[in-house]
Amino acid sequence: MRKKSALERAGEEGFALTYDDVRLRSGFSEMMPHEVNVCGRFSRNVDLKIPIVSAAMDTVTEHGMAIELAKLGGLGIVHKNLSSEKQAKEVAKVKLHLNGFIEKPVCVFESDDVKSILARMEEKGFDFQSFPVLNDNKELVGLLAGNDFEFCDDEKLLARDVMTTGILTAKKGVTIEAAYAIMKERKKKILPLVDDSNRVLGMYVFSDLKRIITGSNESYNVDENGRLRVGAAIGVGDSAVERAEKLVQKGVDVLVVDTAHGDSRAVYDTLRRLKDKFFGVDVVVGNVSNSDSVGRLIEAGADGIKVGQGPGSICTTRIVAGIGRPQLSAVYECAKIALEKGVPICADGGLKNSGDITIALAVGASCVMMGGMLAGTEESPGKTIFLDGRPWKIYRGMGSLGAMRGHVGSRERYNQIDENKLVPEGVEGKIAYKGELANIIFQYVGGLRSGMGYVGAKNLLELREKGDFDRISSSGLGESHPHDVSILKDAPNYRGK
Ligand code: XMP
């Protein structure tokens, strides 16, 4: 990575800078914004089609955010202020939302009555309606699908009375392309895969295959089985390893050891245990802000590192504990070490506008994590509230009193033991309702594309290579924002200072 002059000089003088202290210089460009490639990386094996990850916070990421963000090409990290069972269910909802190949389809027995099947769907929150039907020998005898439920006017009937029989099946190992062709030809929406004894070994759903085959899901961030990607936060110690076990069972793509101080013994111990136990699952660790910490974590096996101590919009760590490092210098110093070893850095917290995304990536981050910039969207957890006639949603720090009271996940993040004697490191607030995530992300990625166009960078690698900065003064920052005008209309990508 080319040296960033403003950051290098500041570093030599013992200064640390953050987003508002710099702006990128423009350079010769042959790139139009729509031509640039914005793919990023969260960890060694988890790629991103847009370099945006949602924060593991209880007012930011549950399955709704994770599903929509993965569909837009990013990644959601499900927070850990939930029991391990609930968090695993949230992960399952993302993984089951869009199944190229359903490894373990939910089956029912022919002797089950419709009422109990509907109750199970409700209880488990299934958002699908197609179930292979098995006999007592667990052999496939039929299929229950949307139509069968719709035309059934007596819930006491058994699955065998309402199911569709004579169904199309294929052997396991059939390729996605072959499965798609058979289903299309026979006009079947579901294709159970069976062994020689007619036992179910998997299932394809036509609409999912169509999306994969026709490329209409080009923007989706999916795993090798065509399922949306999702990450989940865990803490440290035995309970974290137990939690990880449940998450891995549901197919989580990446575990995030999410603490306020990633360079600590308990984190290293947990990281090593996770890497030993869950071969093939990436582990991202955070948070840190120094290059020495990055070196140690990579040595211990981290597949990605989250950088950010105290930059967040709801954080008070720097004020309460006096700890932390202005975010841009932190990301730059950490990325210099991590990129040499092929490990991505996620710049976590402190971003206020889309231009900050371009800046974070230009200093070496492979993606950004956002809390405040994604909170308040339709897809973030929690209800919309109306105050003074305007819509808001709650956004709170995971180290705030509200989040730590009653949630061991939050207390653990900040090493707090006694629920009745808490020292918060975050605040609770409200944030303006922003509407649908897709529109918000369109603006954020649009800003990034535009920035890359100005620099003349066709991908993140070139942005890192070519991007250089001027350090700016407070008058420079004032000049950067609209000035000497009263704004009459809100812009979709600018909310003021
Ligand atoms: P933004 O600026 O995107 O920051 O709202 C989100 C990130 O802030 C971290 N976080 C906290 N840090 N006290 C802190 O010091 C807190 O209560 C707190 N809650 C979240 C976290 O890294 C998140 O991704």
Side-chain angles (χ1 to χ4, degrees):
M1 180 168 66
R2 172 169 148 185
K3 277 190 179 175
K4 311 292 169 194
S5 41
L7 287 155
E8 283 290 330
R9 269 199 303 276
E12 282 158 17
E13 290 167 24
F15 266 124
L17 303 180
T18 195
Y19 295 109
D20 278 355
D21 294 322
V22 300
R23 288 298 106 174
L24 276 159
R25 295 179 189 153
S26 63
F28 171 72
S29 180
E30 294 176 298
M31 299 305 303
M32 295 294 282
H34 70 270
E35 293 169 337
V36 307
N37 176 339
V38 294
C39 291
R41 220 152 53 108
F42 184 57
S43 62
R44 282 186 201 271
N45 301 296
V46 176
D47 292 339
L48 304 166
K49 292 195 170 162
I50 60 167
I52 295 180
V53 180
S54 66
M57 298 172 72
D58 58 9
T59 46
V60 180
T61 312
E62 290 181 352
H63 71 275
M65 171 64 74
I67 288 171
E68 279 316 302
L69 189 52
K71 281 181 164 178
L72 295 163
L75 181 76
I77 309 298
V78 176
H79 70 90
K80 61 182 160 72
N81 273 358
L82 295 166
S83 68
S84 53
E85 289 78 18
K86 274 200 172 154
Q87 191 189 22
K89 255 191 208 168
E90 290 292 307
V91 164
K93 282 184 183 170
V94 185
K95 297 308 289 182
L96 291 172
H97 183 75
L98 178 84
N99 266 299
F101 174 61
I102 303 171
E103 272 176 56
K104 289 186 188 152
V106 178
C107 297
V108 299
F109 283 97
E110 58 177 347
S111 52
D112 291 341
D113 58 49
V114 172
K115 190 173 178 187
S116 66
I117 297 169
L118 289 171
R120 199 163 141 215
M121 285 163 70
E122 172 78 23
E123 185 206 343
K124 304 266 181 194
F126 295 152
D127 55 3
F128 50 87
Q129 293 189 309
S130 301
F131 304 94
V133 183
L134 312 180
N135 64 17
D136 288 345
N137 289 331
K138 299 206 171 150
E139 293 151 347
L140 179 69
V141 290
L143 199 67
L144 259 188
N147 274 353
D148 303 316
F149 288 108
E150 208 160 309
F151 291 116
C152 166
D153 47 18
D154 180 358
E155 292 184 0
K156 289 201 284 303
L157 289 173
L158 305 183
R160 73 162 73 90
D161 303 324
V162 292
M163 69 188 185
T164 302
T165 51
I167 53 178
L168 179 70
T169 60
K171 292 279 177 247
K172 186 166 184 197
V174 63
T175 61
I176 283 191
E177 288 78 10
Y180 177 71
I182 309 169
M183 295 167 92
K184 195 163 175 232
E185 190 195 321
R186 302 282 296 274
K187 296 198 170 77
K188 297 288 180 195
K189 288 185 176 171
I190 302 289
L191 182 69
L193 306 184
V194 292
D195 63 11
D196 291 338
S197 319
N198 220 20
R199 300 242 160 78
V200 178
L201 298 177
M203 190 165 93
Y204 280 120
V205 176
F206 185 72
S207 54
D208 295 340
L209 294 195
K210 189 171 176 191
R211 254 184 249 122
I212 292 168
I213 300 278
T214 62
S216 57
N217 70 339
E218 242 171 41
S219 68
Y220 290 11
N221 186 11
V222 292
D223 64 20
E224 65 283 0
N225 288 322
R227 300 179 304 178
L228 293 174
R229 281 191 166 130
V230 62
I234 57 172
V236 293
D238 291 346
S239 61
V241 178
E242 280 160 29
R243 186 178 279 267
E245 180 107 50
K246 297 196 176 101
L247 296 165
V248 170
Q249 273 170 15
K250 299 294 181 193
V252 75
D253 294 272
V254 53
L255 296 164
V256 180
V257 180
D258 185 39
T259 69
H261 186 23
D263 191 6
S264 53
R265 181 166 303 284
V267 172
Y268 288 102
D269 292 346
T270 307
L271 171 61
R272 291 198 187 95
R273 287 174 68 185
L274 294 170
K275 290 305 296 176
D276 277 354
K277 197 168 163 99
F278 305 110
F279 180 74
V281 179
D282 276 7
V283 183
V284 167
V285 183
N287 278 16
V288 296
S289 57
N290 293 307
S291 53
D292 289 355
S293 311
V294 171
R296 280 190 282 274
L297 286 172
I298 293 176
E299 192 74 8
D303 298 301
I305 292 175
K306 223 147 55 74
V307 172
Q309 287 185 311
S313 55
I314 34 49
C315 299
T316 55
T317 298
R318 295 208 191 142
I319 307 304
V320 169
I323 292 295
R325 192 162 190 213
Q327 181 69 346
L328 207 58
S329 292
V331 173
Y332 176 57
E333 297 297 337
C334 291
K336 273 201 289 191
I337 297 288
L339 289 175
E340 273 172 22
K341 317 242 175 203
V343 173
I345 289 288
C346 172
D348 176 13
L351 296 107
K352 292 188 286 206
N353 291 292
S354 55
D356 296 342
I357 305 174
T358 323
I359 292 173
L361 300 173
V363 299
S366 298
C367 62
V368 295
M369 176 173 271
M370 295 170 169
M373 282 179 71
L374 300 177
T377 51
E378 186 59 38
E379 288 79 359
S380 63
K383 290 199 176 73
T384 305
I385 49 174
F386 282 85
L387 287 171
D388 304 327
R390 293 187 59 193
W392 306 87
K393 285 184 103 165
I394 298 294
Y395 178 47
R396 67 180 185 185
M398 291 295 271
S400 65
L401 268 187
M404 287 204 286
R405 268 194 200 123
H407 294 296
V408 67
S410 261
R411 291 200 295 282
E412 231 179 42
R413 191 176 200 270
Y414 296 91
N415 289 321
Q416 307 251 337
I417 297 154
D418 186 344
E419 188 171 2
N420 299 311
K421 283 188 181 162
L422 295 167
V423 181
E425 290 188 28
V427 296
E428 300 168 62
K430 67 180 190 330
I431 198 156
Y433 174 74
K434 297 189 181 78
E436 286 181 9
L437 184 74
N439 298 331
I440 298 297
I441 293 289
F442 175 77
Q443 292 299 333
Y444 294 168
V445 175
L448 169 63
R449 286 181 177 282
S450 172
M452 291 171 71
Y454 279 109
V455 171
K458 65 171 180 287
N459 53 36
L460 296 200
L461 206 69
E462 281 198 11
L463 179 60
R464 247 177 242 153
E465 289 303 323
K466 296 184 176 179
D468 204 359
F469 298 89
D470 282 316
R471 184 171 170 192
I472 61 171
S473 62
S474 56
S475 359
L477 183 63
E479 182 187 70
S480 308
H481 283 278
H483 51 85
D484 302 310
V485 65
S486 296
I487 296 178
L488 288 178
K489 272 192 176 174
D490 284 340
N493 55 358
Y494 183 77
R495 282 171 194 272
K497 287 181 237 185

